[in-house]
Structures are given as structure tokens and as C-alpha cells.
Amino acid sequence: EMNVPLFGMGASARWDDRPNLDEEYQQHWHRSLGKTMSHYKKSVWKYKAETIVGARVFWVCMTSQWIHTRRSTIFDTFTLAVCFGTFLLFFLASGEIPAEQTSRLKDLTQDFHGLCTFLLGFYMNTCLGRWWAIRADGIGGLWGQIDDLTMLLGCYFPRNDAADRAVHERVLRWGVLSHELIYKQVQECSDFSDLVQRGLLLEEERLVLQPLASQHLCSLPQVVWCWQVSFVGHLAYGDPAQGGSRLPHPVTVMPQLMGLCMKARDSIGLLFTYTESQVPMRYLQVISIIVWTHNFIQCLNSAVTISNSWLRDEPADIAVELIFLIAYPMVYLALLRVGAGMLCPLQDKNDVDLPHGAFSYWMLRENRSFSEASCLPRGPPYGKPPLWRAPTGERPSDL
């Protein structure tokens, strides 16, 4: 293949210098628990809902995807265990507690049960709504605009030559690059070496982005879509010697393609609205204080009950109270932690439900299938694609 001078990159880039994540995907993709879950690295790509809601859910609890295997939750559990143990030793040394006092403590514990259940219901609804908006409207919106852009480019640049394929690959690579840069920005990571190694970012492009990475208010994923808009303008009216002025009917097609680019940028902006605008800290703080106050009261109540039952030699009451001691704090802490993780899932490098590496791989595979099926030499199925006229009115060379 001939070297094709690409807009803004000189003549060193070739259309076939394209990212290929097949090996990376095959290396990190695997299944667990039979065929219950498909993983990409530590994230869950897909799972069988029928299995998860069945009895096998307890097997899932033994995997790293369970919330109670995280260090922070283990530390919380250890804190409550120490608190309960301290209370229990104190009451065993103090002797039996009168029934009137234990009754008032049980009433207080039950009041906190109802309050925590009520508040955590609204809290989880808020967290899940934000998570779904990030996934569907943010990442999903960006993904959809990349798909639409690739589909239209397959129609406008259908020829089996290096120049047309270079357009497809550049627009697609930049689209996937913007997706990867979202996670970089949210996680405040300015190291782009992995993107260069994976072929998603060229060294010339890294030199443009790297100085901007240190600027707090700079949004690199949106900068990439500025490149896309500029590239569309170049295809419409740019220097023909640099691969420009090849877009058919630029007066109407250029605004169409730019509109998709702006919608993609808008999806990224919406995503950052959720990641940068958190729920009010006082709201989260009050709920956390209420849940932790409940947990300490539950430890106190269970310590009193178990202490009295121990002194009375009532093992059945001890067993029942241990269930209460474990169940209520475990459920409330799990809901609190899961909700906090859904408020900004992109900040967690090991987030269970957003396998961004797999997303990037499928973006590449999906959009390349569009190009391969609608462009020469494989497609389209009805025959040769349309021969567009160049902006100058001259008919382009045969396909």
C-alpha cells in the first residue's frame, strides 16, 4: 500500500497502522462459575440474571465481585466486631441488665431499623439512576454517535484504497480514544503510554495532549472531538495534497457529520456532569451517620441481649440475636457501599460493572464490521457503492 499523507500528521502514518485489541481482549476475557458470568479483567461483562437471583448467588458471594470482599467493607465489619466485643465484655462483667432497660433499647433499635430502610430505599434509587445515566446516556450516547459516524463514512468513502480506509480508521480510532480518555480524566491519570502502546494514540497526538493534561479544567476526551470536527472540515474543503476536499456534497454533508461530532461531545459533557457534580455531601453524610448510629445501637442491643442470655444459659436466644447482629448491619452497609460506588463508577479502576477495555474492543469490532460490510471489496451486497462527485464537480476515478 502507498503512504497516504494524513491531515495534520505528515506522511509517516499509514491506513493499516490501526489499533488491534484482539490479543488484549482474548488475554483478559474469561468466564467464571461455569457460564454464569463473563469477565473482562476484574469487571463483569455479562451475567445470567436467572442464575444470579437463584440459590447460586451464594457462590457469587465467594468471588471478588461481591461487595463484602472489598477492604473498606472488611474494615467496617472489623470495627463493628470490636465494638460488639467491647460492649459484650462490659455487660458480662456488669451482670444481668433489667428487663425495663433492655425493652427501651430494643424499641430504639427497631425505630432505627425502619428509618434506615426508608432512607436507603430513596438513596439506592438516586444512585442507580445516576449510574444508568452515566452508562446509557454518557457512554452509550458516545458509542451511538461513533456508530452513526462510521456508518455514514462507509457511504461517503466506500472505495477500496488506502485514502478512504485511512478516513474510516482515523475517525474510529479517535472515537475509541475519546472513550478511553474519559476514564483517564475521571481517575486523574496523565500517563498516556498505555494508549500509545495499544495503538489508540499516536506519538504526535500524545505530544499535543500531554501539555493539556496538567490543566485542571481541560477535557481531553472533548478535545478529541474538536479534532474530529476539524478533520471533517478538512475532508470537505482542505488541501487536496493532504487528502482534503474529498467529501461529497460538502455543503450538506459536512454539517451532518459535524452534528454527530457535537452530539458525541455532548454525551461526554453529560457524563462529566454526573462525575463532577456529586450528590450533596450533607445528604450522603446524614445517611451515613444514621446507618452507622444504627449499627452501633444494634451492637449495643445485641451485646445486652446475648449477655443476659449467657447468664441465664439460653443458647437459642444467643443464636437468634447473633443473626440480628450480623444481618442488619451487613445489609445496610452493603447498600451504603454499593450506592456510593454507583455515584461515580468511573473513578474505581476495578469497578465491577463497567469493563471499559471490553467496551473499547467492541467499539472497534462493531464499527469495522460496518465498514467491511458496506465498502469494497466485500460489500455492499447490491454491487458497487455510489460514485460520488468531488466538490469541484469532477467525477472521481473508478472504484
Side-chain angles (χ1 to χ4, degrees):
E1 288 284 353
M2 58 176 289
N3 278 338
V4 180
L6 298 180
F7 170 60
M9 290 166 45
S12 61
R14 295 168 52 88
W15 74 268
D16 52 354
D17 291 334
R18 60 182 191 172
N20 189 336
L21 305 183
D22 290 347
E23 183 177 350
E24 175 185 315
Y25 181 80
Q26 295 300 328
Q27 177 183 355
H28 295 296
W29 182 89
H30 63 280
R31 294 182 184 272
S32 66
L33 301 179
K35 296 183 178 180
T36 300
M37 293 187 292
S38 299
H39 299 266
Y40 185 82
K41 296 184 178 179
K42 294 183 179 181
S43 300
V44 176
W45 170 236
K46 289 183 180 179
Y47 63 89
K48 291 185 178 180
E50 296 84 356
T51 303
I52 297 298
V53 300
R56 291 185 66 182
V57 68
F58 294 103
W59 288 104
V60 179
C61 295
M62 305 302 171
T63 67
S64 60
Q65 282 69 41
W66 194 41
I67 184 63
H68 279 273
T69 62
R70 298 197 176 186
R71 293 181 180 179
S72 57
T73 309
I74 294 175
F75 177 78
D76 293 344
T77 305
F78 175 76
T79 301
L80 292 177
V82 171
C83 178
F84 166 73
T86 303
F87 287 148
L88 181 61
L89 292 175
F90 174 79
F91 289 120
L92 285 174
S94 301
E96 187 172 348
I97 308 300
E100 180 181 350
Q101 297 181 12
T102 59
S103 176
R104 295 172 61 186
L105 186 56
K106 287 181 180 179
D107 291 341
L108 178 61
T109 305
Q110 291 176 356
D111 290 341
F112 267 91
H113 288 169
L115 179 60
C116 288
T117 302
F118 177 77
L119 292 177
L120 285 173
F122 287 104
Y123 167 73
M124 288 299 296
N125 183 64
T126 299
C127 296
L128 184 58
R130 288 174 61 93
W131 183 93
W132 183 248
I134 290 173
R135 173 62 183 89
D137 301 330
I139 298 175
L142 173 64
W143 196 330
Q145 302 311 320
I146 295 174
D147 287 355
D148 291 346
L149 200 55
T150 302
M151 182 173 63
L152 290 174
L153 290 176
C155 177
Y156 298 141
F157 298 95
R159 293 179 297 180
N160 182 29
D161 60 24
D164 278 13
R165 283 176 286 182
V167 173
H168 295 186
E169 283 300 321
R170 163 170 294 198
V171 171
L172 175 57
R173 180 175 60 80
W174 277 353
V176 178
L177 173 63
S178 70
H179 170 253
E180 288 284 339
L181 286 174
I182 289 173
Y183 302 89
K184 293 283 188 181
Q185 178 167 328
V186 174
Q187 296 169 12
E188 298 181 352
C189 176
S190 58
D191 181 12
F192 304 140
S193 59
D194 59 318
L195 299 179
V196 175
Q197 293 172 0
R198 296 164 69 193
L200 295 173
L201 180 67
L202 301 183
E203 182 61 26
E204 301 95 317
E205 298 165 350
R206 187 192 68 79
L207 295 177
V208 176
L209 294 180
Q210 197 69 62
L212 300 176
S214 59
Q215 299 180 20
H216 177 65
L217 298 180
C218 179
S219 178
L220 297 185
Q222 297 183 73
V223 168
V224 173
W225 285 98
C226 294
W227 293 354
Q228 299 273 40
V229 169
S230 179
F231 185 50
V232 171
H234 169 74
L235 292 174
Y237 297 108
D239 184 0
Q242 293 293 320
S245 298
R246 294 190 292 125
L247 187 68
H249 307 295
V251 174
T252 56
V253 173
M254 183 180 70
Q256 178 191 40
L257 298 181
M258 286 185 172
L260 292 176
C261 294
M262 289 185 286
K263 287 182 179 179
R265 188 224 57 81
D266 187 55
S267 296
I268 298 174
L270 175 66
L271 188 150
F272 285 148
T273 299
Y274 283 104
T275 60
E276 300 299 330
S277 302
Q278 298 173 292
V279 297
M281 187 186 73
R282 287 173 290 182
Y283 171 74
L284 187 59
Q285 187 178 27
V286 167
I287 291 180
S288 180
I289 289 175
I290 291 174
V291 169
W292 274 99
T293 301
H294 159 270
N295 291 342
F296 289 135
I297 292 176
Q298 179 66 60
C299 289
L300 179 61
N301 180 69
S302 296
V304 170
T305 302
I306 291 175
S307 174
N308 287 347
S309 299
W310 181 274
L311 296 174
R312 296 171 188 167
D313 194 19
E314 297 174 342
D317 290 346
I318 295 176
V320 172
E321 191 60 36
L322 283 174
I323 294 175
F324 290 150
L325 173 64
I326 295 173
Y328 280 110
M330 181 182 69
V331 171
Y332 292 150
L333 282 177
L335 291 175
L336 195 63
R337 289 289 182 180
V338 168
M342 289 191 295
L343 288 175
C344 190
L346 304 183
Q347 287 182 338
D348 189 351
K349 296 181 180 180
N350 296 319
D351 186 81
V352 172
D353 296 306
L354 290 179
H356 74 269
F359 289 166
S360 295
Y361 171 77
W362 282 107
M363 286 180 189
L364 287 171
R365 288 290 301 273
E366 182 176 274
N367 284 277
R368 281 177 180 154
S369 69
F370 294 169
S371 300
E372 291 174 4
S374 61
C375 301
L376 294 174
R378 183 172 297 178
Y382 59 80
K384 287 186 177 182
L387 294 172
W388 298 99
R389 292 186 179 275
T392 59
E394 298 177 358
R395 191 174 183 82
S397 60
D398 272 342
L399 299 173

